[in-house]
Amino acid sequence: MNRIIECGAVLLGLLAAASAGGTAYFYRRTMKRNKVKIERTMKMAGTDWNQYRDMLSTRKEYMLAQPHKDVYLTSEDGLRLHAVYFPGDGTSDKAVICLHGYTSEGMKDNIGLSDYYLKRGYRMLLVDARAHGQSEGQYIGFGCKDRFDVMKWIRWMVKECGSSVRILLHGTSMGGATALMTSGLPLPKQVKGIISDCGFTSPKYVFTHVLHTMYHLPAFPMIQLSDFINKRKAGYGLDECNAAREVRKAKVPILLIHGDADTFVPCYMCREIYENCASPKKMLIVKGAAHAESYYKNTKEYEKALNEFIGGVLK
């Protein structure tokens, strides 16, 4: 009997060590700036961007030809944050703050959308989320921290453009989740609407989905251990802020967009957010679109949804 107990204790010890080691590995690859890789994210997302190379090249050339400048501010916790500002002709009262996805940056994720907004006279602010691009930060905020940074960027835009400016928030993937999480905060009156493209509910649930579908691993105990670590290192819990809960407090209209072929952030998260949203809302599900592909898969349908939504909120 003693031998059995000893073997059981050894086995439990080995399992605990394996869980701790696996958690540490997963956490570093997911949350630490110097460990996450955009190539790995693109591979997991599974979207074939090569088919849009010509379109993106043309739109990038146009975007970079427009007047723009780097701007900076300091977050509530002392990080130097970066964005690129496109003022247009400097007279427009329409502005959009664009929020990018995980492991990307403002000047990459918004090449396609820049064509839509710049040619319609919008001022654009392309934000680098904390721990991305030229913004400081060691740990990724996954919207939970970034929503407070967005509030500072909104105030920057109001100061830059004047109190009569009408602002949209438009986010993709992690940026979409960030915009939705921001909806639960007391937004300045200048914010008129939010567009979220393939946003997730919370890091806890998107990590759980990734572990199940891509790594074929159970969420327990890895998610629970990662949550504990993240609270100590990054200062927030993985489900501390959940977009599906935050939109219950939303006051501004929200447009939700998602591809039904998205395997990275599943489409059911979009429907859950929609069902919980307390403010006026619309939803567009783009058939056949993979993660963050909706605009490119069906540009006409996407822009039609933007036109109808924006036409209703920027009156």
Side-chain angles (χ1 to χ4, degrees), residues 258-314:
H258 218 107
D260 70 356
D262 191 337
T263 57
F264 194 40
V265 176
C267 195
Y268 68 74
M269 290 191 178
C270 179
R271 300 186 190 279
E272 180 183 352
I273 293 165
Y274 181 84
E275 290 169 2
N276 279 275
C277 185
S279 63
K281 58 195 177 183
K282 292 186 177 182
M283 180 170 60
L284 170 66
I285 303 300
V286 179
K287 292 182 179 180
H291 187 64
E293 190 189 19
S294 292
Y295 181 75
Y296 306 93
K297 189 72 173 180
N298 195 331
T299 305
K300 183 178 180 179
E301 185 179 26
Y302 195 111
E303 292 191 348
K304 181 176 182 287
L306 287 181
N307 290 338
E308 292 175 354
F309 176 75
I310 295 171
V313 301
L314 297 189

Side-chain angles (χ1 to χ4, degrees), residues 50-68:
N50 287 326
Q51 61 187 310
Y52 306 116
R53 184 178 300 170
D54 292 343
M55 174 190 180
L56 288 168
S57 177
T58 300
R59 294 198 173 193
K60 184 176 182 179
E61 183 179 358
Y62 172 79
M63 179 179 75
L64 293 177
Q66 309 311 304
H68 59 280

Side-chain angles (χ1 to χ4, degrees), residues 58-303:
T58 300
R59 294 198 173 193
K60 184 176 182 179
E61 183 179 358
Y62 172 79
M63 179 179 75
L64 293 177
Q66 309 311 304
H68 59 280
K69 64 179 181 179
D70 295 307
V71 293
Y72 299 88
L73 57 74
T74 303
S75 70
E76 291 182 353
D77 51 352
L79 299 177
R80 190 171 189 249
L81 303 177
H82 168 262
V84 179
Y85 177 52
F86 289 77
D89 63 7
T91 63
S92 178
D93 68 344
K94 300 184 298 183
V96 59
I97 298 174
C98 293
L99 310 171
H100 65 79
Y102 177 59
T103 70
S104 190
E105 56 188 87
M107 288 290 281
K108 289 182 179 178
D109 266 16
N110 299 293
I111 293 171
L113 285 171
S114 68
D115 193 79
Y116 176 86
Y117 284 115
L118 291 175
K119 289 182 177 178
R120 286 168 174 78
Y122 284 80
R123 302 171 189 247
M124 290 188 76
L125 187 69
L126 310 185
V127 172
D128 283 350
R130 56 175 54 213
H132 290 78
Q134 295 184 46
S135 289
E136 292 181 343
Q138 185 178 4
Y139 294 97
I140 294 171
F142 279 101
C144 301
K145 285 288 190 180
D146 308 273
R147 58 188 172 139
F148 301 112
D149 302 337
V150 172
M151 291 293 284
K152 299 203 77 169
W153 285 118
I154 293 169
R155 290 192 286 270
W156 181 93
M157 186 70 91
V158 173
K159 184 177 179 180
E160 172 72 19
C161 304
S163 60
S164 63
V165 67
R166 298 173 294 165
I167 299 172
L168 299 172
L169 304 180
H170 192 143
T172 303
S173 191
M174 186 182 77
T178 300
L180 295 171
M181 291 175 184
T182 307
S183 75
L185 300 175
L187 292 168
K189 64 180 182 180
Q190 289 84 4
V191 179
K192 303 301 183 182
I194 291 172
I195 301 118
S196 172
D197 184 340
C198 63
F200 52 76
T201 51
S202 77
K204 174 183 177 180
Y205 290 107
V206 79
F207 292 169
T208 298
H209 172 75
V210 168
L211 283 172
H212 285 164
T213 61
M214 299 182 186
Y215 289 92
H216 307 291
L217 291 171
F220 180 84
M222 203 170 290
I223 292 295
Q224 288 72 20
L225 291 172
S226 294
D227 182 68
F228 175 77
I229 295 168
N230 205 56
K231 285 176 181 175
R232 297 187 63 184
K233 291 184 176 292
Y236 69 93
L238 297 182
D239 194 44
E240 180 178 310
C241 187
N242 184 308
R245 293 197 300 266
E246 292 304 305
V247 295
R248 295 172 187 169
K249 299 177 281 185
K251 300 292 193 298
V252 301
I254 293 175
L255 170 62
L256 298 165
I257 302 171
H258 218 107
D260 70 356
D262 191 337
T263 57
F264 194 40
V265 176
C267 195
Y268 68 74
M269 290 191 178
C270 179
R271 300 186 190 279
E272 180 183 352
I273 293 165
Y274 181 84
E275 290 169 2
N276 279 275
C277 185
S279 63
K281 58 195 177 183
K282 292 186 177 182
M283 180 170 60
L284 170 66
I285 303 300
V286 179
K287 292 182 179 180
H291 187 64
E293 190 189 19
S294 292
Y295 181 75
Y296 306 93
K297 189 72 173 180
N298 195 331
T299 305
K300 183 178 180 179
E301 185 179 26
Y302 195 111
E303 292 191 348

